[in-house]
Amino acid sequence: MKYKTLVLFTLMCSMLSWNTFSQDIRKNKKDGGFTFTIEKEIPATDIKNQYKSGTCWCFSTQSFLESELIRMGKGKIDLSEMFVVRSAYELKARKYLRMMGKINFGEGGEFHDVINIIREKGIVPQEVYTGMPEGQTKPEHGEVSAVLTAGLEAAVKLPNGKLSPNWEKAFNGTLDGYFGKIPETFEYQGKKYTPKSFAQYLNINPDDYIEITSFTHHPFYSKFILEVSDNWAWSNVYNVPLNEFQAIVDNAVNKGYSVAWATDVSEPGFSFKNGLAIVPEGVEDMKKEERDSIFNHPKPEKQITQAIRQAAFDDLSTQDDHGMQITGIAKDQNGDQFYIVKNSWGTDRNDCGGYLYASVPYFLYKTTSIMVHKSAIPVAIAKKMGL
């Protein structure tokens, strides 16, 4: 495989613009640090900022799908996250009431929520529907989430002995006020579409995308409902052994497919500012000064086994915190593999232009699930999965 330009990292990394494949290499900071060689990159759209909203599940999946559109020859298309977020709220509300409030309702979600919305309602470009009030340029969802939740909590108490037939009108009125009405038709590049016909134009087949994980509390090569609170839709994930889990990601990237990545970002080895996600040995027992130093240069990382991964999930130290997109593979100066990861926290809080490098041990330890195109899975593994 042909290696790309050597990228020098300091206290973490030089400023890169992976989305356009131009590498703006700035002068290194004095402390040195990590040196990465990029082995494979997947084209991606520009970094976005989910800002004050718990909608990483949507931003990461949309970014993943935007890379898919580039791969499919559609070019760069900026998809509307808030179309999906607003649509998901409608589906979540119905389920919340069906379950008499005994299910999670909030800003969170999973990759399949985006796919399910596209299947049921379609999709629109960002320029058609921003989903933000006039004068607002970034999503801020604390208030809307609180208002929506309060309305549902009042309705589910059944003050009249049964659910009011007006709850949905009131709920959608709130969505209209905070997100705006969804257009029934719109023009894009001189042609008229509905959300469903635009999804057909994009040729995104929801059945092509599946979620995969690796846990031992369910049989391998089966499907199960992943037990995380944001899986309100109770969708299934495929289950494979840990070595095959990594093999799927490596094969996907090397074949030109990106990967949607759900993971825990509460670990001391995760630093968006420094552009790294690592699991140094003994990091849990380090004092603050020692922990701060782990981002200065490579250190030996914990060897992650299936049992270690499972224990972290079982004792709830691994949580389904955040969704991002894996867009490439790199190696550090010691030859250790890292994944290039596109985040949705903007670019001003990070030394890497909104990206980060995640080590393989971190991926194996803290990943809750991934989403990939079925064609990205190695044939032998796909056969075991029944695909």
Side-chain angles (χ1 to χ4, degrees), residues 93 97 151-152 154-156 158-160 162-174:
L97 294 176
L152 290 178
V156 81
L158 308 181
N160 297 322
K162 60 182 179 180
L163 187 63
S164 166
N166 298 316
W167 80 265
E168 195 162 10
K169 290 180 182 178
F171 188 83
N172 285 330
T174 301

Side-chain angles (χ1 to χ4, degrees), residues 161-224:
K162 60 182 179 180
L163 187 63
S164 166
N166 298 316
W167 80 265
E168 195 162 10
K169 290 180 182 178
F171 188 83
N172 285 330
T174 301
L175 290 175
D176 286 344
Y178 282 100
F179 290 94
K181 290 182 177 292
I182 290 175
E184 294 182 3
T185 62
F186 59 90
E187 283 197 6
Y188 180 75
Q189 295 183 350
K191 293 185 178 181
K192 191 173 183 179
Y193 296 96
T194 65
K196 281 195 170 183
S197 67
F198 188 66
Q200 292 170 349
Y201 157 71
L202 296 178
N203 200 28
I204 295 173
N205 181 2
D207 295 331
D208 284 340
Y209 301 99
I210 62 171
E211 288 165 294
I212 307 170
T213 194
S214 179
F215 290 116
T216 57
H217 64 295
H218 292 281
F220 291 135
Y221 311 118
S222 68
K223 292 189 290 185
F224 70 94

Side-chain angles (χ1 to χ4, degrees), residues 279 301-304 337 359-366:
V279 194
E301 294 201 48
K302 183 184 294 187
Q303 296 299 307
I304 305 303
Q337 180 172 301
S359 70
V360 169
Y362 194 97
F363 172 85
L364 296 177
Y365 191 26
K366 289 296 166 176

Side-chain angles (χ1 to χ4, degrees), residues 71 208 210 251-252 255 257 372-379 387:
R71 182 186 64 81
D208 284 340
I210 62 171
N251 187 71
K255 288 182 66 175
Y257 296 85
V372 296
H373 191 288
K374 291 190 294 186
S375 297
I377 303 170
V379 174
L387 297 173

Side-chain angles (χ1 to χ4, degrees), residues 213-220 224 239-242 305-311 313-314:
T213 194
S214 179
F215 290 116
T216 57
H217 64 295
H218 292 281
F220 291 135
F224 70 94
N239 197 29
V240 300
L242 195 55
T305 65
Q306 189 86 62
I308 289 173
R309 169 182 168 79
Q310 186 68 41
F313 188 71
D314 289 343

Side-chain angles (χ1 to χ4, degrees), residues 18 261 270 272 275-277 324 339-341 343 352 354-358:
W18 281 304
W261 181 37
F270 183 94
F272 179 59
L276 277 181
M324 295 175 281
Y339 296 114
I340 301 169
V341 180
N343 203 356
C352 309
Y355 281 78
L356 58 99
Y357 286 109

Side-chain angles (χ1 to χ4, degrees), residues 262-264 267 309 312 317-318 361-368:
T263 190
D264 187 322
E267 292 296 304
R309 169 182 168 79
S317 59
T318 292
Y362 194 97
F363 172 85
L364 296 177
Y365 191 26
K366 289 296 166 176
T367 301
T368 50

Side-chain angles (χ1 to χ4, degrees), residues 54-344:
T55 55
C56 61
W57 56 274
C58 184
F59 276 83
S60 54
T61 314
Q62 297 282 70
S63 183
F64 166 78
L65 291 175
E66 288 167 359
S67 287
E68 280 291 278
L69 293 174
I70 294 172
R71 182 186 64 81
M72 294 158 58
K74 293 289 186 178
K76 281 190 176 183
I77 299 177
D78 188 0
L79 299 176
S80 169
E81 287 82 19
M82 293 306 110
F83 171 88
V84 172
V85 170
R86 185 211 151 108
S87 299
Y89 267 128
E90 296 176 32
L91 301 181
K92 276 194 257 190
R94 293 191 195 109
K95 193 151 194 177
Y96 181 86
L97 294 176
R98 288 282 185 191
M99 299 302 298
M100 295 292 293
K102 306 301 182 183
I103 192 174
N104 188 42
F105 179 86
E107 298 179 56
E110 299 291 328
F111 300 138
H112 53 251
D113 295 329
V114 178
I115 301 301
N116 291 341
I117 293 297
I118 291 175
R119 179 185 281 111
E120 182 173 329
K121 295 179 176 291
I123 193 68
V124 302
Q126 175 72 12
E127 66 187 64
V128 167
Y129 187 77
T130 66
M132 286 180 276
E134 186 176 350
Q136 187 174 312
T137 59
K138 299 175 185 176
E140 299 182 49
H141 289 177
E143 183 176 322
V144 63
S145 179
V147 171
L148 292 172
T149 301
L152 290 178
E153 288 177 346
V156 81
K157 290 177 182 177
L158 308 181
N160 297 322
K162 60 182 179 180
L163 187 63
S164 166
N166 298 316
W167 80 265
E168 195 162 10
K169 290 180 182 178
F171 188 83
N172 285 330
T174 301
L175 290 175
D176 286 344
Y178 282 100
F179 290 94
K181 290 182 177 292
I182 290 175
E184 294 182 3
T185 62
F186 59 90
E187 283 197 6
Y188 180 75
Q189 295 183 350
K191 293 185 178 181
K192 191 173 183 179
Y193 296 96
T194 65
K196 281 195 170 183
S197 67
F198 188 66
Q200 292 170 349
Y201 157 71
L202 296 178
N203 200 28
I204 295 173
N205 181 2
D207 295 331
D208 284 340
Y209 301 99
I210 62 171
E211 288 165 294
I212 307 170
T213 194
S214 179
F215 290 116
T216 57
H217 64 295
H218 292 281
F220 291 135
Y221 311 118
S222 68
K223 292 189 290 185
F224 70 94
I225 296 173
L226 184 61
E227 303 95 336
V228 294
S229 60
D230 284 337
N231 187 14
W232 60 269
W234 301 339
S235 288
N236 285 303
V237 295
Y238 285 82
N239 197 29
V240 300
L242 195 55
N243 64 319
E244 295 185 354
F245 194 45
Q246 181 186 346
I248 289 170
V249 176
D250 292 349
N251 187 71
V253 174
N254 284 316
K255 288 182 66 175
Y257 296 85
S258 75
V259 177
W261 181 37
T263 190
D264 187 322
V265 297
S266 64
E267 292 296 304
F270 183 94
S271 174
F272 179 59
K273 178 185 182 301
N274 290 309
L276 277 181
I278 52 179
V279 194
E281 289 184 357
V283 67
E284 299 89 351
D285 301 321
M286 292 180 183
K287 296 180 180 178
K288 184 181 184 303
E289 296 76 15
E290 291 179 286
R291 286 189 177 184
D292 290 343
S293 74
I294 66 176
F295 304 112
N296 291 344
H297 54 80
K299 291 178 172 61
E301 294 201 48
K302 183 184 294 187
Q303 296 299 307
I304 305 303
T305 65
Q306 189 86 62
I308 289 173
R309 169 182 168 79
Q310 186 68 41
F313 188 71
D314 289 343
D315 69 16
L316 305 182
S317 59
T318 292
Q319 292 290 320
D320 188 36
D321 284 345
H322 192 44
M324 295 175 281
Q325 180 194 13
I326 294 174
T327 63
I329 290 175
K331 287 188 177 179
D332 70 6
Q333 61 263 47
N334 296 328
D336 293 324
Q337 180 172 301
F338 283 69
Y339 296 114
I340 301 169
V341 180
K342 180 187 176 189
N343 203 356
S344 57

